[in-house]
Amino acid sequence: MTTIITDNGQYKTPGFWTTAGAVIVGSAAQSAVANSNKCIARPILKKMKEASQSCDNKTLRAAINDAFINSNLFKNGVELLDVKLLKNNNADELAANKKLHEAILNSLPKFLRNTTCGDIAVKVVKNMIEAGNNAAYLFKTKKIAVNIDKLGTSAFHEMGHAINHNQSKIWKVIQGMRLPAMAAGGVFGLTALLKRQKLEGEQPVNTFDKVTTFVKDNVGKLVLASFVPIVSEELMATYRGNKMAKKLLPSEMFAKVKKTNRLGAVTYISSALLTALAAYSASKVRDKIAEPKKIA
């Protein structure tokens, strides 16, 4: 415990165990809010797959291949992989799935490769894409991976990511901000969770205290701001993908591509909002439990 002297009197901070408990409960509240995004994502994914699978597969597949060729992405070393859950030993399918495995593995940091954690990460991501529960552009290995039978309409969006990465210097930089932005959001949330709220009339004691107090007081806005480069790059990928699809698909199928991409955008935006709300909630719960008590 420490004593705090302010213009409004003296206060005592709670002990270690109370503070530790407050941080744990705050962290649990943060996880609960953040994980609620799954309640939004699951029905959205279902609608995306329904829209995609209602398209004529032959027409959709031809348009995807034409868009890839017209984009000149192959000249940038990008490869389009049509992957699926294997039911037989078709040589082309086996080759595509093997390339996907290698691409995901080589996208991991070197220290994670050939480890149990790395193997699990590769398996989870690979299974999601093969099952049509996700599609991806793996920028480190320049592979666009999608199950065209299950989620083919998302291929245009992933080609948009590939164009951002390979054909635009500005958007490549913004795309490269994804991991630093996510890390910054995590740092903001953790800072707000660990730091005590200043009492009324209590002043920061040094520069570090001023900075962390600012983060504490504005954590929701800061976490939301950290998503700006992520969401903006996603929306640009959608814009590019829609532009390609419009030229190659019948109007009714193009409408389904737009619907798929619109639903995908909802998941990015809801994730940003809920992550910001989660960080804010964690901070408030922590402060409520470990609030300094005024000395009579």
Side-chain angles (χ1 to χ4, degrees), residues 3-296:
T3 302
I4 306 165
I5 300 174
T6 73
D7 296 338
N8 299 316
Q10 294 186 16
Y11 296 80
K12 272 194 176 181
T13 61
F16 171 80
W17 292 112
T18 300
T19 302
V23 170
I24 291 170
V25 175
S27 181
Q30 184 174 17
S31 296
V33 175
N35 288 335
S36 66
N37 193 49
K38 293 179 181 178
C39 299
I40 299 172
R42 287 195 187 103
I44 284 178
L45 174 62
K46 183 180 178 182
K47 289 182 179 180
M48 290 171 69
K49 293 176 76 171
E50 287 173 352
S52 183
Q53 292 170 31
S54 67
C55 293
D56 178 75
N57 191 269
K58 186 177 179 180
T59 303
L60 180 60
R61 187 178 295 273
I64 291 169
N65 290 329
D66 287 345
F68 182 73
I69 292 169
N70 294 343
S71 68
N72 288 319
L73 283 168
F74 63 94
K75 293 181 180 179
N76 303 120
V78 178
E79 187 175 4
L80 175 62
L81 302 178
D82 178 16
V83 297
K84 52 197 71 183
L85 288 172
L86 296 175
K87 295 181 180 178
N88 51 52
N89 291 323
N90 179 283
D92 290 339
E93 292 179 3
L94 285 168
N97 285 44
K98 183 179 179 181
K99 285 182 180 179
L100 174 60
H101 183 278
E102 292 172 351
I104 298 170
L105 180 64
N106 291 327
S107 295
L108 295 176
K110 288 185 178 180
F111 71 89
L112 274 179
R113 298 173 196 172
N114 302 316
T115 66
T116 302
C117 289
D119 291 342
I120 293 171
V122 171
K123 185 176 181 180
V124 168
V125 175
K126 185 171 181 283
N127 287 348
M128 285 178 67
I129 297 174
E130 289 173 352
N133 294 327
N134 204 349
Y137 170 63
L138 303 167
F139 69 91
K140 254 190 172 181
T141 49
K142 294 191 174 184
K143 296 289 190 288
I144 298 169
V146 58
N147 184 330
I148 295 178
D149 292 339
K150 300 286 187 181
L151 197 61
T153 49
S154 65
F156 298 99
H157 173 82
E158 300 307 329
M159 281 189 269
H161 279 306
I163 292 171
N164 285 347
H165 181 240
N166 294 279
Q167 299 176 9
S168 170
K169 291 181 180 179
I170 293 174
W171 285 103
K172 182 177 181 178
V173 170
I174 294 173
Q175 191 178 63
M177 293 171 64
R178 178 182 288 263
L179 290 179
M182 291 173 66
V187 170
F188 294 146
L190 183 61
T191 299
L193 177 62
L194 296 178
K195 188 173 181 66
R196 173 181 59 79
Q197 179 71 49
K198 291 291 184 187
L199 297 168
E200 186 177 349
E202 183 184 6
Q203 300 300 318
V205 297
N206 53 40
T207 301
F208 179 78
D209 196 18
K210 287 180 181 178
V211 171
T212 53
T213 296
F214 177 81
V215 171
K216 174 79 174 180
D217 293 342
N218 298 277
V219 65
K221 296 174 185 176
L222 290 170
V223 171
L224 191 60
S226 71
F227 274 85
V228 169
I230 299 170
V231 174
S232 61
E233 196 273 329
E234 291 284 353
L235 294 177
M236 177 52 71
T238 287
Y239 169 77
R240 294 189 193 279
N242 286 348
K243 191 175 179 181
M244 288 187 285
K246 187 175 183 179
K247 295 177 181 178
L248 296 165
L249 288 172
S251 58
E252 68 276 9
M253 286 182 66
F254 172 57
K256 292 175 181 178
V257 171
K258 285 202 300 182
K259 178 181 179 179
T260 302
N261 288 338
R262 195 180 304 117
L263 289 169
V266 170
T267 63
Y268 319 137
I269 294 168
S270 66
S271 179
L273 292 171
L274 286 172
T275 303
L277 178 61
Y280 175 82
S281 300
S283 177
K284 291 300 180 183
V285 168
R286 178 249 191 263
D287 291 340
K288 188 68 177 176
I289 295 172
E291 187 177 12
K293 302 298 182 182
K294 192 169 185 178
I295 301 172

